[in-house]
Amino acid sequence: MTPRVGIVGAGAAGAGAAYALRGADAEVTILEKSRGVGGRAATRRKNDCRYDHGANYVKEGDERTESLIRDLGEEGLVDVEEPVWIFEGDGEIREGDDDEAHKWTWTEGITQLGKRLLDRTDAEVRKGTRVERIAREGADVGSERSTWTLTDTDGATHGPFDALLLTPPAPQTAALLEATEWDDDRLGALTDAVADVEYRTIRTFVLNYPFREAFPWYGAVNVDDGHEVGWLSREECKDGHVPDGESLLVAQMAPDWSADRYDDPLEEAGADAAKLVADLLDDERYADPEWVDDQGWRYALPENGADGEAVRSAEDAGLFFAGDWTVGEGRVHRALWSGHDAGERIAERD
Ligand SMILES: Cc1cc2nc3c(=O)[nH]c(=O)nc-3n(C[C@H](O)[C@H](O)[C@H](O)COP(=O)(O)OP(=O)(O)OC[C@H]3O[C@@H](n4cnc5c(N)ncnc54)[C@H](O)[C@@H]3O)c2cc1C
């Protein structure tokens, strides 16, 4: 019988896994709580602008990433040419050591990565489906093979699946493991290992202005954790994102600031963020944006990675994990390959 594979999450890891399984004898179903795919590699449209409000670009990590990106089609591929500069607590933006040869996104936004990967698969993506509970069924009633069944927040069930891959950020995966019925000693240690991973919180503000300055940089990153702005970038450096004559700044606030101000109303927090940006750019016009948008990322970037041995301890029972937290680095390409590798291991199962 064709193995049935369930994947929770359609971010880079989930899409990477489905992509790896595209040539295998497998029936793949992805359950995604959002209405779109891409996870934290996300794009939004507003007032004729398009902006990547989570991950800014896919970093050229290695040759296989470059080759995969190009295989997904060069049409609409954007390579941001301007460099990333640096600043410290004093707010002076200066040239850094930008070693990143390619910084990829697409004219239609970075969400194209997930879309293009999934378009090349037969995977069924059930969007707007938040998985709440997991159950292991079969083994103790003597059926031939145990399976995994999922229940979503509307009470609908999905599965059974012969293999299950969980890709949400570690705290959300740990919550799913806590809501898993599986009479097996490994579950407790596995849940602890996943729950051990901590994340930095980032609140992103998107600031639009009816003018455009020619800075020599695309982005500027705070390198000493001494500034309230952690990252500032110019979305207009990406073809197709911002109409001529306008500028769109993406300000990712530092983790402490973001955690303190996470739930503050947009009007108030956005005005304070714009003031900080204006100070950083030493130009008061930036304190008064035409419009502002925001996104809170409670689980933005993993601080550490999970114990690899624990995370792979249930693979013989068909339970797999992938995502940036399994590799300990918040990078789109790392998440993608962790999913791809898990997909290959699933394909190799008997
Ligand atoms: C503000 C910010 C800036 C960043 N900048 C960069 C950058 O410039 N370059 C870079 O390489 N990386 C960057 N990163 C990191 C990068 O975005 C992540 O490391 C990567 O996208 C993680 O992919 P993932 O598949 O592991 O997780 P995710 O993208 O989080 O995917 C997990 C998916 O699971 C879904 N999900 C969660 N719980 C459930 C559930 N119960 N049921 C169903 N679905 C569920 C989520 O909706 C999500 O779609 C940034 C991240 C943030 C937040």
Side-chain angles (χ1 to χ4, degrees):
M1 197 178 83
T2 298
R4 297 151 301 182
V5 180
I7 300 176
V8 180
Y19 188 77
L21 283 160
R22 72 197 183 289
D25 175 31
E27 190 185 298
V28 178
T29 307
I30 305 186
L31 308 164
E32 167 55 54
K33 72 176 164 67
S34 309
R35 279 173 292 137
V37 301
R40 279 169 277 159
T43 307
R44 200 177 278 166
R45 293 176 73 159
K46 187 172 168 168
N47 297 341
D48 295 328
C49 292
R50 201 180 253 127
Y51 41 97
D52 300 326
H53 57 294
N56 305 288
Y57 53 85
V58 184
K59 180 183 171 176
E60 175 193 12
D62 44 35
E63 270 176 33
R64 68 173 181 165
T65 304
E66 165 145 25
S67 139
L68 172 67
I69 296 277
R70 296 201 185 281
D71 282 353
L72 293 176
E74 307 255 349
E75 201 189 325
L77 184 62
V78 173
D79 185 3
V80 181
E81 284 171 10
E82 293 85 346
V84 173
W85 283 21
I86 60 173
F87 60 96
E88 295 177 11
D90 62 9
E92 192 198 323
I93 298 178
R94 59 191 163 83
E95 201 167 346
D97 199 10
D98 184 21
D99 62 342
E100 293 176 13
H102 293 292
K103 299 186 270 302
W104 281 299
T105 182
W106 286 263
T107 48
E108 292 188 51
I110 198 167
T111 194
Q112 280 292 302
L113 176 66
K115 286 187 181 161
R116 289 182 184 210
L117 286 167
L118 290 170
D119 278 354
R120 284 156 180 76
T121 76
D122 291 329
E124 180 192 344
V125 185
R126 298 182 187 161
K127 294 179 195 157
T129 304
R130 183 192 285 263
V131 176
E132 191 174 45
R133 278 180 290 126
I134 302 173
R136 171 87 163 156
E137 287 170 347
D140 46 6
V141 290
S143 75
E144 269 177 29
R145 197 161 183 169
S146 311
T147 53
W148 299 95
T149 300
L150 312 179
T151 306
D152 67 30
T153 44
D154 292 329
T157 56
H158 304 268
F161 299 114
D162 301 292
L164 175 63
L165 172 65
L166 303 181
T167 73
Q172 293 170 331
T173 293
L176 281 177
L177 289 173
E178 274 159 21
T180 295
E181 276 175 45
W182 182 28
D183 188 13
D184 189 289
D185 288 346
R186 282 170 289 184
L187 184 58
L190 195 49
T191 310
D192 289 348
V194 178
D196 247 10
V197 181
E198 292 185 4
Y199 272 77
R200 256 180 276 168
T201 293
I202 294 178
R203 189 164 176 183
T204 298
F205 293 91
V206 178
L207 311 166
N208 175 272
Y209 302 92
F211 58 86
R212 185 180 290 190
E213 286 294 332
F215 293 101
W217 44 268
Y218 148 67
V221 61
N222 176 218
V223 286
D224 68 351
D225 293 335
H227 205 282
E228 285 143 312
V229 179
W231 164 272
L232 185 66
S233 55
R234 303 162 55 225
E235 207 61 14
E236 60 268 24
C237 294
K238 298 174 178 174
D239 285 349
H241 282 226
V242 184
D244 286 348
E246 293 182 26
S247 53
L248 197 73
L249 296 180
V250 173
Q252 291 164 3
M253 306 308 287
D256 285 348
W257 194 99
S258 297
D260 284 352
R261 308 290 306 268
Y262 197 77
D263 294 316
D264 286 0
L266 172 58
E267 203 177 320
E268 198 183 293
D272 290 348
K275 244 181 252 140
L276 289 162
V277 166
D279 285 350
L280 183 58
L281 296 176
D282 203 13
D283 185 336
E284 267 315 297
R285 289 176 304 163
Y286 289 98
D288 186 24
E290 186 84 353
W291 55 264
V292 180
D293 193 9
D294 78 325
Q295 173 73 40
W297 301 100
R298 176 75 68 196
Y299 306 119
L301 300 168
E303 296 274 19
N304 53 315
D307 173 357
E309 208 176 305
V311 160
R312 290 187 57 174
S313 66
E315 293 193 354
D316 63 334
L319 182 57
F320 293 76
F321 301 89
D324 56 2
W325 58 274
T326 63
V327 291
E329 192 185 6
R331 285 284 175 184
V332 175
H333 69 282
R334 297 292 315 274
L336 190 161
W337 290 114
S338 78
H340 193 276
D341 294 350
E344 286 184 337
R345 294 199 301 281
I346 291 171
E348 281 159 15
R349 287 184 87 220
D350 302 330

